[in-house]
Each structure stands twice: as C-alpha cells, then as structure tokens.
Amino acid sequence: LQVRVLNASGTDAVDPFEYDATATTPEKKVIALPTGTYTVQASSAGFDGKTSGYDKPYYVGSTEATVTKNNEVAAKVVCTLANVKVTVNFDASFKEAFTSATATVKSLEEGKADQLAFTMGGTQSVGYFPVTDLVANIAVKNKSGQSHNQDNEIKDVQARDHYIFNYSVAESGTGSFQISVDAATRTYTYDFTVPTKASLAVSA
C-alpha cells in the first residue's frame, strides 16, 4: 500500500511511503508533525481507479488523526475494495451444448473501463473493473456451427460490489436471466440462460 499524510490544505505533510499490509507483525512508522489535524490515506500501489484487470483488486481507505504537542497518536486505516469484482461461470449444460463461448465484460458507456474476455475452458474467471455500469456480452457457437450472442446490462454498480455471472442453457427457445442479491455482502448473482438456436436474439 502507498500511504499519504495530508495536512488541512490537502497537500503532503511528509513524502508518501509504502506500507507492507501482508506483514505478520504490523509495521510501525513514527512521524514527527506539527500540531493539527491530518488525513492519513492508504491505497494499493499503482491504483488509478480507471483500469480493469484479471485478479487485480485495488483497496483504498482513509482516516483523520489529530496531533497534539508531545503526544503520540496512532492512525488506523481500514482499506476496502475500491473496484468491482466480476466472476464468470459456465455450467456443465453450457459446455455440453456449445463448442465455444466467450463472455466479454466492458463498461456500458464507451471508454469507462477496459474490456475483459472470459473464455469457456480458459484460465481466467475473475476480473476487476472501475466503478461504472457494465454490459456482459456472451458470444457462442453451437454444435451445428451457428453463432449467437446476447447482451445483459448491469446498472447502479458500486465499489465493493461482486457480480457473479452463471451461464447455462435455456430450456426453451428464449434466453432470460434471474438475479439474486445478498445485501449483507453486496453480492449479486445473475443466472443467464442462453438459447442453443441462433435464430433468436435476446437483449435484457
């Protein structure tokens, strides 16, 4: 993590420094400062809030600390996930019905996030995105060689949300989806069903 100590005017009171959050024994750094109120910020090194990546979570946090003369004050910063987690799963029926499938997730508004592709049978299933509304496109090819794709929009996205996309085969000729929400952890599970016939396009 990179740590910044900001004074009341919002400028660095000391040079930013790195903190090892994985250390078994918490690191202690003592800084001498003039009396006053400061903001201590911590964030994952390299975090810019704009990039997407596989297995690339970013964390941020801040707290205020008031320094008085001849006293030591401890600043405890709690960092939470600053971006959005997406997990893509293809169930057994999907793998049986289609020869290939790729789920591409990107920002609903062009240019707000890098797109990430999740391929059936691939090694990547988890991605992290900036806080922006998303669209998940699934492109498939069935065993008859027909191609089909459908879009599903995800709106009102917030930091620390976890979206789980479960893809399965539609029992009939239409595609649909169901959403279940765990409000305690803000985990949203989307069960997408995709038709095996290419004649019907579904946009949800």
Side-chain angles (χ1 to χ4, degrees), residues 50-54 56 58 105 112-116 128-130:
K50 299 177 182 178
T51 57
S52 309
Y54 301 103
K56 196 175 183 180
Y58 284 115
V105 181
K112 290 288 187 178
D114 302 324
Q115 73 175 26
L116 298 179
Y128 291 85
F129 295 84

Side-chain angles (χ1 to χ4, degrees), residues 11 20 28 36 46 84 113 119 145 158 163 169 174 181 188-189 195 200:
T11 58
D20 183 4
K28 183 177 181 180
V84 178
T119 304
Q158 300 179 52
Y163 293 94
V169 172
T174 61
V181 181
Y188 303 82
T189 303
L200 179 66

Side-chain angles (χ1 to χ4, degrees), residues 80-147:
T80 57
L81 189 67
N83 47 9
V84 178
K85 183 178 181 180
V86 172
T87 301
V88 176
N89 300 314
F90 300 98
D91 80 354
S93 70
F94 211 84
K95 295 176 181 178
E96 178 66 25
F98 299 109
T99 58
S100 65
T102 300
T104 302
V105 181
K106 62 180 182 178
S107 56
L108 186 57
E109 184 180 345
E110 194 67 30
K112 290 288 187 178
D114 302 324
Q115 73 175 26
L116 298 179
F118 303 88
T119 304
M120 183 172 68
T123 58
Q124 300 290 354
S125 62
V126 176
Y128 291 85
F129 295 84
V131 181
T132 182
D133 291 344
L134 301 171
V135 57
N137 172 270
I138 181 70
V140 298
K141 182 179 286 187
N142 64 20
K143 292 187 175 181
S144 299
Q146 297 173 313
S147 296

Side-chain angles (χ1 to χ4, degrees):
L1 296 171
Q2 184 185 63
V3 180
R4 297 179 66 192
V5 180
L6 307 177
N7 56 29
S9 63
T11 58
D12 289 312
V14 296
D15 290 335
F17 59 91
E18 290 191 355
Y19 176 86
D20 183 4
T22 64
T24 305
T25 303
E27 181 183 347
K28 183 177 181 180
K29 185 175 181 71
V30 179
I31 303 169
L33 295 167
T35 59
T37 300
Y38 297 85
T39 300
V40 182
Q41 296 180 343
S43 62
S44 297
F47 174 67
D48 62 6
K50 299 177 182 178
T51 57
S52 309
Y54 301 103
D55 299 317
K56 196 175 183 180
Y58 284 115
Y59 297 88
V60 297
S62 65
T63 189
E64 283 195 350
T66 300
V67 175
T68 56
K69 188 176 181 180
N70 297 325
N71 289 309
E72 183 177 293
V73 59
K76 181 179 180 180
V77 180
V78 177
C79 294
T80 57
L81 189 67
N83 47 9
V84 178
K85 183 178 181 180
V86 172
T87 301
V88 176
N89 300 314
F90 300 98
D91 80 354
S93 70
F94 211 84
K95 295 176 181 178
E96 178 66 25
F98 299 109
T99 58
S100 65
T102 300
T104 302
V105 181
K106 62 180 182 178
S107 56
L108 186 57
E109 184 180 345
E110 194 67 30
K112 290 288 187 178
D114 302 324
Q115 73 175 26
L116 298 179
F118 303 88
T119 304
M120 183 172 68
T123 58
Q124 300 290 354
S125 62
V126 176
Y128 291 85
F129 295 84
V131 181
T132 182
D133 291 344
L134 301 171
V135 57
N137 172 270
I138 181 70
V140 298
K141 182 179 286 187
N142 64 20
K143 292 187 175 181
S144 299
Q146 297 173 313
S147 296
H148 172 72
N149 71 85
Q150 71 181 45
D151 287 337
N152 298 99
E153 296 179 359
I154 313 298
K155 295 185 176 181
D156 301 320
V157 173
Q158 300 179 52
R160 301 192 303 279
D161 284 350
H162 180 196
Y163 293 94
I164 302 172
F165 300 161
N166 296 320
Y167 287 99
S168 61
V169 172
E171 294 181 1
S172 61
T174 61
S176 63
F177 70 94
Q178 294 181 332
I179 307 169
S180 60
V181 181
D182 182 346
T185 57
R186 292 227 313 260
T187 297
Y188 303 82
T189 303
Y190 287 72
D191 294 322
F192 297 124
T193 58
V194 180
T196 57
K197 301 294 183 182
S199 58
L200 179 66
V202 176
S203 180

